[in-house]
Amino acid sequence: MNVSIAGLGLIGGSLALALRSRHRVTGFDSDAAARAAAGSAGVTIVDSLDGLLPADAVLIATPMSAVVPTLAALCPRADSALLMDVASLKRPVAAFAESARATARIVGGHPMAGATASGFDAASGDLFRGRPFLLVPTARSDGDAMALAGTLARDTGAVVSVCSAEVHDRAMAFLLAAPLAAASAVALAGAEAYPLLALAGPGFRDTTRLADTPLDLATELLTSGTDVHRAIDAVIENLGALRASIDGGRHEQVRDTLRAGKRVRDGLR
Amino acid sequence: MNVSIAGLGLIGGSLALALRSRHRVTGFDSDAAARAAAGSAGVTIVDSLDGLLPADAVLIATPMSAVVPTLAALCPRADSALLMDVASLKRPVAAFAESARATARIVGGHPMAGATASGFDAASGDLFRGRPFLLVPTARSDGDAMALAGTLARDTGAVVSVCSAEVHDRAMAFLLAAPLAAASAVALAGAEAYPLLALAGPGFRDTTRLADTPLDLATELLTSGTDVHRAIDAVIENLGALRASIDGGRHEQVRDTLRAGKRVRDGLR
């Protein structure tokens, strides 16, 4: 198939590398350096967004804020091509699809993989191998569109699953945004451990690892979803309850709260 | 030297294994199974706390709540033996030393190493290698006592440093207790990501890893220090400020906060 990719950073670049053994992959990035890096790695490059069409599918791997504008630019000329974004929020795409032309084919996608590095140079054809790839149907997702999206997602080596935009975005607020906010808040508080901060062990380092997320991505993750507020509030409430139990000397209650947190984590396995 | 160890769990057991090539190590644990496990590993075992004396040094590696009672039980009979605990709070030991007999030799110690596993079976003679080992002088720490404590700490393979009880306990609240509380709070909130919780990636897993801390130790860490309240409050305040910036659409402020957290973390390297 002819698969086009808009945005050749870590995710778009990794999609290009993962899919090129089975598909004819063409890429575009608004940044000339990213185009050059992908071109050197053997990806066929075009020098405008328009050049990505015609195609069987266009994957939109731009920064989150550019996803809907890119969809809007491509949609009128896309004919029956599948348009699938791969950002970590799905409600904006679902809302765009509601008002897109009746014959458009739009599916939301979210390959749940990443790295603290960014850009094409950090891209890898194995980034998605064994990781979840969520597909979110929209008002413009017919059976063919979902089937094609499933094929492409599977061809990246990922494990494909399907859910609604609402379930997806709420879950991501709790699994991505809240941990990022907490990591940053704990790191910032850690300054008060001076002069012993440098002695921080693996516990502090693991808890704050997400505070190393590239600033553009981190800012976007925290400011883009309507569920982020709720997820951060839940963490604040849990911390407040724990502090109240500690203050009240209710050690059994502290233990019960810790046990409940441990149980959620046990559910990950 | 004759080195006795009270408490043969992860830390006490690891001290026994680390020190026995250079010293005659004798151990005691109130739990018969722990005594048997350490005995099978070749540690000389006595069947009462009293049996640990006479000695050149007694290391107290009991759970935190038993540290001061164990010091109190040993002190009257310890003669010039160094008494050094290895718990993660130092103010209670400093306070005990204030009122101990004038000839007592008491130093607070804190080898900053651990594991999510517990008990003698998880002990390793390499646990402290290259890790920080903080020494906290008390009102009963003369030069000989500090020198002996330094020798023993170095003989575990650790890197020795010295600080006051106040600096130590405040730092630990920010480096141990606050991350633990945040990890637990994020894990607990994560239940709301159902049915996608199982898809949680390395970010969520790392941030919540400390929620797997054994319950006894975790409860003790959160309920024992007077600085824990302040450290959890600092995290809550940072999260509240971040949420307020997000709510107000002040993306530059979100970015500035994230940048400040990142900078603290950069200071770890």
PDB file of all heavy atoms in Angstrom, chain A residues 9-47:
ATOM      1  N   GLY A   9       9.134  13.048  13.329  1.00  0.00           N
ATOM      2  CA  GLY A   9       9.863  13.054  14.599  1.00  0.00           C
ATOM      3  C   GLY A   9      10.018  11.634  15.120  1.00  0.00           C
ATOM      4  O   GLY A   9      10.068  10.676  14.344  1.00  0.00           O
ATOM      5  N   LEU A  10      10.095  11.495  16.432  1.00  0.00           N
ATOM      6  CA  LEU A  10      10.279  10.164  17.035  1.00  0.00           C
ATOM      7  C   LEU A  10       9.199   9.191  16.586  1.00  0.00           C
ATOM      8  O   LEU A  10       9.503   8.068  16.145  1.00  0.00           O
ATOM      9  CB  LEU A  10      10.239  10.289  18.572  1.00  0.00           C
ATOM     10  CG  LEU A  10      10.247   8.957  19.326  1.00  0.00           C
ATOM     11  CD1 LEU A  10      11.599   8.278  19.220  1.00  0.00           C
ATOM     12  CD2 LEU A  10       9.868   9.141  20.785  1.00  0.00           C
ATOM     13  N   ILE A  11       7.922   9.618  16.672  1.00  0.00           N
ATOM     14  CA  ILE A  11       6.818   8.701  16.373  1.00  0.00           C
ATOM     15  C   ILE A  11       6.648   8.506  14.861  1.00  0.00           C
ATOM     16  O   ILE A  11       6.632   7.369  14.364  1.00  0.00           O
ATOM     17  CB  ILE A  11       5.503   9.215  17.008  1.00  0.00           C
ATOM     18  CG1 ILE A  11       5.644   9.318  18.539  1.00  0.00           C
ATOM     19  CG2 ILE A  11       4.335   8.302  16.637  1.00  0.00           C
ATOM     20  CD1 ILE A  11       5.850   7.993  19.250  1.00  0.00           C
ATOM     21  N   GLY A  12       6.566   9.623  14.114  1.00  0.00           N
ATOM     22  CA  GLY A  12       6.402   9.519  12.662  1.00  0.00           C
ATOM     23  C   GLY A  12       7.588   8.805  12.016  1.00  0.00           C
ATOM     24  O   GLY A  12       7.421   7.956  11.140  1.00  0.00           O
ATOM     25  N   GLY A  13       8.797   9.122  12.481  1.00  0.00           N
ATOM     26  CA  GLY A  13       9.988   8.468  11.950  1.00  0.00           C
ATOM     27  C   GLY A  13       9.984   6.977  12.248  1.00  0.00           C
ATOM     28  O   GLY A  13      10.320   6.150  11.384  1.00  0.00           O
ATOM     29  N   SER A  14       9.560   6.621  13.451  1.00  0.00           N
ATOM     30  CA  SER A  14       9.523   5.202  13.817  1.00  0.00           C
ATOM     31  C   SER A  14       8.456   4.467  13.010  1.00  0.00           C
ATOM     32  O   SER A  14       8.644   3.302  12.623  1.00  0.00           O
ATOM     33  CB  SER A  14       9.253   5.054  15.319  1.00  0.00           C
ATOM     34  OG  SER A  14      10.314   5.618  16.074  1.00  0.00           O
ATOM     35  N   LEU A  15       7.328   5.135  12.730  1.00  0.00           N
ATOM     36  CA  LEU A  15       6.290   4.528  11.879  1.00  0.00           C
ATOM     37  C   LEU A  15       6.853   4.275  10.478  1.00  0.00           C
ATOM     38  O   LEU A  15       6.644   3.208   9.900  1.00  0.00           O
ATOM     39  CB  LEU A  15       5.066   5.451  11.789  1.00  0.00           C
ATOM     40  CG  LEU A  15       4.178   5.531  13.045  1.00  0.00           C
ATOM     41  CD1 LEU A  15       3.156   6.661  12.899  1.00  0.00           C
ATOM     42  CD2 LEU A  15       3.459   4.194  13.287  1.00  0.00           C
ATOM     43  N   ALA A  16       7.597   5.265   9.959  1.00  0.00           N
ATOM     44  CA  ALA A  16       8.186   5.112   8.624  1.00  0.00           C
ATOM     45  C   ALA A  16       9.125   3.910   8.591  1.00  0.00           C
ATOM     46  O   ALA A  16       9.067   3.070   7.683  1.00  0.00           O
ATOM     47  CB  ALA A  16       8.928   6.392   8.227  1.00  0.00           C
ATOM     48  N   LEU A  17       9.985   3.803   9.606  1.00  0.00           N
ATOM     49  CA  LEU A  17      10.960   2.703   9.641  1.00  0.00           C
ATOM     50  C   LEU A  17      10.273   1.353   9.848  1.00  0.00           C
ATOM     51  O   LEU A  17      10.694   0.331   9.323  1.00  0.00           O
ATOM     52  CB  LEU A  17      11.995   2.956  10.746  1.00  0.00           C
ATOM     53  CG  LEU A  17      12.831   4.239  10.581  1.00  0.00           C
ATOM     54  CD1 LEU A  17      13.760   4.432  11.770  1.00  0.00           C
ATOM     55  CD2 LEU A  17      13.641   4.183   9.278  1.00  0.00           C
ATOM     56  N   ALA A  18       9.179   1.355  10.638  1.00  0.00           N
ATOM     57  CA  ALA A  18       8.495   0.089  10.936  1.00  0.00           C
ATOM     58  C   ALA A  18       7.680  -0.400   9.742  1.00  0.00           C
ATOM     59  O   ALA A  18       7.519  -1.608   9.547  1.00  0.00           O
ATOM     60  CB  ALA A  18       7.578   0.269  12.146  1.00  0.00           C
ATOM     61  N   LEU A  19       7.157   0.516   8.937  1.00  0.00           N
ATOM     62  CA  LEU A  19       6.215   0.127   7.882  1.00  0.00           C
ATOM     63  C   LEU A  19       6.866  -0.056   6.513  1.00  0.00           C
ATOM     64  O   LEU A  19       6.259  -0.613   5.603  1.00  0.00           O
ATOM     65  CB  LEU A  19       5.089   1.178   7.778  1.00  0.00           C
ATOM     66  CG  LEU A  19       4.150   1.264   8.991  1.00  0.00           C
ATOM     67  CD1 LEU A  19       3.192   2.447   8.847  1.00  0.00           C
ATOM     68  CD2 LEU A  19       3.361  -0.042   9.151  1.00  0.00           C
ATOM     69  N   ARG A  20       8.111   0.419   6.349  1.00  0.00           N
ATOM     70  CA  ARG A  20       8.626   0.466   4.981  1.00  0.00           C
ATOM     71  C   ARG A  20       8.945  -0.894   4.387  1.00  0.00           C
ATOM     72  O   ARG A  20       9.093  -1.019   3.180  1.00  0.00           O
ATOM     73  CB  ARG A  20       9.820   1.399   4.885  1.00  0.00           C
ATOM     74  CG  ARG A  20      11.042   0.925   5.629  1.00  0.00           C
ATOM     75  CD  ARG A  20      12.136   1.930   5.400  1.00  0.00           C
ATOM     76  NE  ARG A  20      13.285   1.634   6.238  1.00  0.00           N
ATOM     77  CZ  ARG A  20      14.415   2.326   6.199  1.00  0.00           C
ATOM     78  NH1 ARG A  20      14.522   3.345   5.371  1.00  0.00           N
ATOM     79  NH2 ARG A  20      15.416   2.004   6.979  1.00  0.00           N
ATOM     80  N   SER A  21       9.061  -1.944   5.218  1.00  0.00           N
ATOM     81  CA  SER A  21       9.316  -3.270   4.636  1.00  0.00           C
ATOM     82  C   SER A  21       8.062  -3.833   3.956  1.00  0.00           C
ATOM     83  O   SER A  21       8.149  -4.674   3.071  1.00  0.00           O
ATOM     84  CB  SER A  21       9.828  -4.244   5.704  1.00  0.00           C
ATOM     85  OG  SER A  21       8.842  -4.436   6.688  1.00  0.00           O
ATOM     86  N   ARG A  22       6.885  -3.378   4.368  1.00  0.00           N
ATOM     87  CA  ARG A  22       5.646  -3.912   3.784  1.00  0.00           C
ATOM     88  C   ARG A  22       4.886  -2.923   2.908  1.00  0.00           C
ATOM     89  O   ARG A  22       3.904  -3.288   2.279  1.00  0.00           O
ATOM     90  CB  ARG A  22       4.688  -4.332   4.907  1.00  0.00           C
ATOM     91  CG  ARG A  22       5.170  -5.528   5.698  1.00  0.00           C
ATOM     92  CD  ARG A  22       4.203  -5.742   6.855  1.00  0.00           C
ATOM     93  NE  ARG A  22       4.735  -6.683   7.803  1.00  0.00           N
ATOM     94  CZ  ARG A  22       4.211  -7.879   8.028  1.00  0.00           C
ATOM     95  NH1 ARG A  22       3.135  -8.263   7.387  1.00  0.00           N
ATOM     96  NH2 ARG A  22       4.758  -8.694   8.908  1.00  0.00           N
ATOM     97  N   HIS A  23       5.259  -1.625   2.995  1.00  0.00           N
ATOM     98  CA  HIS A  23       4.486  -0.614   2.282  1.00  0.00           C
ATOM     99  C   HIS A  23       5.415   0.381   1.597  1.00  0.00           C
ATOM    100  O   HIS A  23       6.582   0.501   1.968  1.00  0.00           O
ATOM    101  CB  HIS A  23       3.565   0.124   3.270  1.00  0.00           C
ATOM    102  CG  HIS A  23       2.650  -0.792   4.016  1.00  0.00           C
ATOM    103  ND1 HIS A  23       1.522  -1.352   3.450  1.00  0.00           N
ATOM    104  CD2 HIS A  23       2.715  -1.300   5.277  1.00  0.00           C
ATOM    105  CE1 HIS A  23       0.925  -2.136   4.340  1.00  0.00           C
ATOM    106  NE2 HIS A  23       1.632  -2.132   5.457  1.00  0.00           N
ATOM    107  N   ARG A  24       4.857   1.096   0.612  1.00  0.00           N
ATOM    108  CA  ARG A  24       5.603   2.198   0.002  1.00  0.00           C
ATOM    109  C   ARG A  24       5.351   3.422   0.869  1.00  0.00           C
ATOM    110  O   ARG A  24       4.241   3.960   0.887  1.00  0.00           O
ATOM    111  CB  ARG A  24       5.145   2.443  -1.435  1.00  0.00           C
ATOM    112  CG  ARG A  24       5.676   1.402  -2.449  1.00  0.00           C
ATOM    113  CD  ARG A  24       5.126   1.643  -3.855  1.00  0.00           C
ATOM    114  NE  ARG A  24       3.667   1.546  -3.888  1.00  0.00           N
ATOM    115  CZ  ARG A  24       2.992   0.387  -3.966  1.00  0.00           C
ATOM    116  NH1 ARG A  24       3.649  -0.773  -4.049  1.00  0.00           N
ATOM    117  NH2 ARG A  24       1.667   0.377  -3.966  1.00  0.00           N
ATOM    118  N   VAL A  25       6.375   3.833   1.597  1.00  0.00           N
ATOM    119  CA  VAL A  25       6.216   4.913   2.581  1.00  0.00           C
ATOM    120  C   VAL A  25       6.749   6.241   2.023  1.00  0.00           C
ATOM    121  O   VAL A  25       7.846   6.288   1.477  1.00  0.00           O
ATOM    122  CB  VAL A  25       6.946   4.560   3.897  1.00  0.00           C
ATOM    123  CG1 VAL A  25       6.938   5.756   4.850  1.00  0.00           C
ATOM    124  CG2 VAL A  25       6.310   3.343   4.555  1.00  0.00           C
ATOM    125  N   THR A  26       5.941   7.286   2.137  1.00  0.00           N
ATOM    126  CA  THR A  26       6.359   8.632   1.737  1.00  0.00           C
ATOM    127  C   THR A  26       6.194   9.554   2.944  1.00  0.00           C
ATOM    128  O   THR A  26       5.193   9.441   3.660  1.00  0.00           O
ATOM    129  CB  THR A  26       5.469   9.164   0.594  1.00  0.00           C
ATOM    130  OG1 THR A  26       5.540   8.252  -0.499  1.00  0.00           O
ATOM    131  CG2 THR A  26       5.937  10.548   0.147  1.00  0.00           C
ATOM    132  N   GLY A  27       7.152  10.432   3.199  1.00  0.00           N
ATOM    133  CA  GLY A  27       7.058  11.281   4.382  1.00  0.00           C
ATOM    134  C   GLY A  27       7.223  12.762   4.101  1.00  0.00           C
ATOM    135  O   GLY A  27       7.835  13.160   3.104  1.00  0.00           O
ATOM    136  N   PHE A  28       6.660  13.566   4.992  1.00  0.00           N
ATOM    137  CA  PHE A  28       6.853  15.018   4.947  1.00  0.00           C
ATOM    138  C   PHE A  28       6.983  15.538   6.373  1.00  0.00           C
ATOM    139  O   PHE A  28       6.342  15.039   7.298  1.00  0.00           O
ATOM    140  CB  PHE A  28       5.679  15.726   4.257  1.00  0.00           C
ATOM    141  CG  PHE A  28       5.735  17.221   4.421  1.00  0.00           C
ATOM    142  CD1 PHE A  28       6.688  17.978   3.746  1.00  0.00           C
ATOM    143  CD2 PHE A  28       4.867  17.872   5.299  1.00  0.00           C
ATOM    144  CE1 PHE A  28       6.760  19.355   3.927  1.00  0.00           C
ATOM    145  CE2 PHE A  28       4.943  19.253   5.482  1.00  0.00           C
ATOM    146  CZ  PHE A  28       5.896  19.991   4.792  1.00  0.00           C
ATOM    147  N   ASP A  29       7.846  16.542   6.550  1.00  0.00           N
ATOM    148  CA  ASP A  29       7.935  17.236   7.834  1.00  0.00           C
ATOM    149  C   ASP A  29       8.108  18.717   7.505  1.00  0.00           C
ATOM    150  O   ASP A  29       8.784  19.063   6.529  1.00  0.00           O
ATOM    151  CB  ASP A  29       9.126  16.722   8.656  1.00  0.00           C
ATOM    152  CG  ASP A  29       9.026  17.129  10.119  1.00  0.00           C
ATOM    153  OD1 ASP A  29       9.143  18.359  10.401  1.00  0.00           O
ATOM    154  OD2 ASP A  29       8.825  16.249  10.974  1.00  0.00           O
ATOM    155  N   SER A  30       7.523  19.605   8.313  1.00  0.00           N
ATOM    156  CA  SER A  30       7.648  21.037   8.020  1.00  0.00           C
ATOM    157  C   SER A  30       9.069  21.517   8.304  1.00  0.00           C
ATOM    158  O   SER A  30       9.480  22.583   7.855  1.00  0.00           O
ATOM    159  CB  SER A  30       6.636  21.837   8.850  1.00  0.00           C
ATOM    160  OG  SER A  30       6.859  21.587  10.220  1.00  0.00           O
ATOM    161  N   ASP A  31       9.843  20.706   9.019  1.00  0.00           N
ATOM    162  CA  ASP A  31      11.223  21.056   9.342  1.00  0.00           C
ATOM    163  C   ASP A  31      12.190  20.419   8.338  1.00  0.00           C
ATOM    164  O   ASP A  31      12.200  19.182   8.176  1.00  0.00           O
ATOM    165  CB  ASP A  31      11.531  20.577  10.762  1.00  0.00           C
ATOM    166  CG  ASP A  31      12.969  20.833  11.157  1.00  0.00           C
ATOM    167  OD1 ASP A  31      13.388  22.003  11.101  1.00  0.00           O
ATOM    168  OD2 ASP A  31      13.670  19.853  11.510  1.00  0.00           O
ATOM    169  N   ALA A  32      13.000  21.248   7.678  1.00  0.00           N
ATOM    170  CA  ALA A  32      13.888  20.749   6.624  1.00  0.00           C
ATOM    171  C   ALA A  32      14.909  19.748   7.166  1.00  0.00           C
ATOM    172  O   ALA A  32      15.247  18.763   6.499  1.00  0.00           O
ATOM    173  CB  ALA A  32      14.608  21.919   5.945  1.00  0.00           C
ATOM    174  N   ALA A  33      15.380  19.977   8.410  1.00  0.00           N
ATOM    175  CA  ALA A  33      16.383  19.069   8.983  1.00  0.00           C
ATOM    176  C   ALA A  33      15.787  17.685   9.198  1.00  0.00           C
ATOM    177  O   ALA A  33      16.444  16.661   8.960  1.00  0.00           O
ATOM    178  CB  ALA A  33      16.906  19.637  10.303  1.00  0.00           C
ATOM    179  N   ALA A  34      14.514  17.627   9.652  1.00  0.00           N
ATOM    180  CA  ALA A  34      13.853  16.337   9.850  1.00  0.00           C
ATOM    181  C   ALA A  34      13.674  15.634   8.502  1.00  0.00           C
ATOM    182  O   ALA A  34      13.883  14.417   8.397  1.00  0.00           O
ATOM    183  CB  ALA A  34      12.499  16.528  10.542  1.00  0.00           C
ATOM    184  N   ARG A  35      13.312  16.414   7.461  1.00  0.00           N
ATOM    185  CA  ARG A  35      13.174  15.810   6.119  1.00  0.00           C
ATOM    186  C   ARG A  35      14.508  15.225   5.662  1.00  0.00           C
ATOM    187  O   ARG A  35      14.563  14.105   5.151  1.00  0.00           O
ATOM    188  CB  ARG A  35      12.722  16.869   5.105  1.00  0.00           C
ATOM    189  CG  ARG A  35      11.282  17.337   5.256  1.00  0.00           C
ATOM    190  CD  ARG A  35      10.742  17.974   3.972  1.00  0.00           C
ATOM    191  NE  ARG A  35      11.464  19.165   3.529  1.00  0.00           N
ATOM    192  CZ  ARG A  35      11.189  20.406   3.950  1.00  0.00           C
ATOM    193  NH1 ARG A  35      10.231  20.614   4.838  1.00  0.00           N
ATOM    194  NH2 ARG A  35      11.874  21.420   3.474  1.00  0.00           N
ATOM    195  N   ALA A  36      15.586  15.983   5.899  1.00  0.00           N
ATOM    196  CA  ALA A  36      16.904  15.510   5.463  1.00  0.00           C
ATOM    197  C   ALA A  36      17.314  14.243   6.202  1.00  0.00           C
ATOM    198  O   ALA A  36      17.832  13.292   5.596  1.00  0.00           O
ATOM    199  CB  ALA A  36      17.944  16.618   5.686  1.00  0.00           C
ATOM    200  N   ALA A  37      17.064  14.215   7.530  1.00  0.00           N
ATOM    201  CA  ALA A  37      17.442  13.035   8.326  1.00  0.00           C
ATOM    202  C   ALA A  37      16.681  11.803   7.853  1.00  0.00           C
ATOM    203  O   ALA A  37      17.254  10.714   7.685  1.00  0.00           O
ATOM    204  CB  ALA A  37      17.175  13.296   9.815  1.00  0.00           C
ATOM    205  N   ALA A  38      15.367  11.956   7.614  1.00  0.00           N
ATOM    206  CA  ALA A  38      14.564  10.818   7.166  1.00  0.00           C
ATOM    207  C   ALA A  38      14.972  10.397   5.761  1.00  0.00           C
ATOM    208  O   ALA A  38      15.040   9.196   5.451  1.00  0.00           O
ATOM    209  CB  ALA A  38      13.079  11.186   7.211  1.00  0.00           C
ATOM    210  N   GLY A  39      15.274  11.402   4.913  1.00  0.00           N
ATOM    211  CA  GLY A  39      15.720  11.090   3.555  1.00  0.00           C
ATOM    212  C   GLY A  39      17.016  10.288   3.569  1.00  0.00           C
ATOM    213  O   GLY A  39      17.156   9.295   2.853  1.00  0.00           O
ATOM    214  N   SER A  40      17.964  10.673   4.434  1.00  0.00           N
ATOM    215  CA  SER A  40      19.239   9.942   4.536  1.00  0.00           C
ATOM    216  C   SER A  40      19.017   8.514   4.985  1.00  0.00           C
ATOM    217  O   SER A  40      19.800   7.617   4.666  1.00  0.00           O
ATOM    218  CB  SER A  40      20.162  10.616   5.554  1.00  0.00           C
ATOM    219  OG  SER A  40      20.316  11.965   5.247  1.00  0.00           O
ATOM    220  N   ALA A  41      17.931   8.285   5.766  1.00  0.00           N
ATOM    221  CA  ALA A  41      17.638   6.934   6.254  1.00  0.00           C
ATOM    222  C   ALA A  41      16.849   6.141   5.210  1.00  0.00           C
ATOM    223  O   ALA A  41      16.430   5.019   5.472  1.00  0.00           O
ATOM    224  CB  ALA A  41      16.868   7.010   7.569  1.00  0.00           C
ATOM    225  N   GLY A  42      16.652   6.739   4.027  1.00  0.00           N
ATOM    226  CA  GLY A  42      16.018   5.983   2.944  1.00  0.00           C
ATOM    227  C   GLY A  42      14.515   6.168   2.820  1.00  0.00           C
ATOM    228  O   GLY A  42      13.869   5.476   2.035  1.00  0.00           O
ATOM    229  N   VAL A  43      13.939   7.103   3.593  1.00  0.00           N
ATOM    230  CA  VAL A  43      12.506   7.365   3.464  1.00  0.00           C
ATOM    231  C   VAL A  43      12.292   8.295   2.266  1.00  0.00           C
ATOM    232  O   VAL A  43      13.015   9.275   2.103  1.00  0.00           O
ATOM    233  CB  VAL A  43      11.945   8.028   4.753  1.00  0.00           C
ATOM    234  CG1 VAL A  43      10.444   8.319   4.602  1.00  0.00           C
ATOM    235  CG2 VAL A  43      12.205   7.140   5.965  1.00  0.00           C
ATOM    236  N   THR A  44      11.299   7.977   1.407  1.00  0.00           N
ATOM    237  CA  THR A  44      10.965   8.859   0.288  1.00  0.00           C
ATOM    238  C   THR A  44      10.324  10.125   0.839  1.00  0.00           C
ATOM    239  O   THR A  44       9.368  10.061   1.607  1.00  0.00           O
ATOM    240  CB  THR A  44       9.970   8.162  -0.667  1.00  0.00           C
ATOM    241  OG1 THR A  44      10.553   6.930  -1.109  1.00  0.00           O
ATOM    242  CG2 THR A  44       9.657   9.049  -1.875  1.00  0.00           C
ATOM    243  N   ILE A  45      10.879  11.276   0.462  1.00  0.00           N
ATOM    244  CA  ILE A  45      10.446  12.548   1.048  1.00  0.00           C
ATOM    245  C   ILE A  45       9.764  13.419   0.006  1.00  0.00           C
ATOM    246  O   ILE A  45      10.204  13.470  -1.142  1.00  0.00           O
ATOM    247  CB  ILE A  45      11.671  13.301   1.612  1.00  0.00           C
ATOM    248  CG1 ILE A  45      12.366  12.463   2.695  1.00  0.00           C
ATOM    249  CG2 ILE A  45      11.274  14.671   2.163  1.00  0.00           C
ATOM    250  CD1 ILE A  45      11.551  12.248   3.934  1.00  0.00           C
ATOM    251  N   VAL A  46       8.688  14.087   0.381  1.00  0.00           N
ATOM    252  CA  VAL A  46       8.102  15.124  -0.472  1.00  0.00           C
ATOM    253  C   VAL A  46       8.259  16.462   0.250  1.00  0.00           C
ATOM    254  O   VAL A  46       8.474  16.482   1.469  1.00  0.00           O
ATOM    255  CB  VAL A  46       6.611  14.844  -0.794  1.00  0.00           C
ATOM    256  CG1 VAL A  46       6.491  13.603  -1.669  1.00  0.00           C
ATOM    257  CG2 VAL A  46       5.796  14.676   0.487  1.00  0.00           C
ATOM    258  N   ASP A  47       8.163  17.545  -0.509  1.00  0.00           N
ATOM    259  CA  ASP A  47       8.475  18.827   0.133  1.00  0.00           C
ATOM    260  C   ASP A  47       7.256  19.684   0.462  1.00  0.00           C
ATOM    261  O   ASP A  47       7.375  20.875   0.722  1.00  0.00           O
ATOM    262  CB  ASP A  47       9.528  19.608  -0.659  1.00  0.00           C
ATOM    263  CG  ASP A  47       9.055  19.901  -2.071  1.00  0.00           C
ATOM    264  OD1 ASP A  47       7.875  19.564  -2.365  1.00  0.00           O
ATOM    265  OD2 ASP A  47       9.838  20.445  -2.860  1.00  0.00           O
TER     266      ASP A  47
END
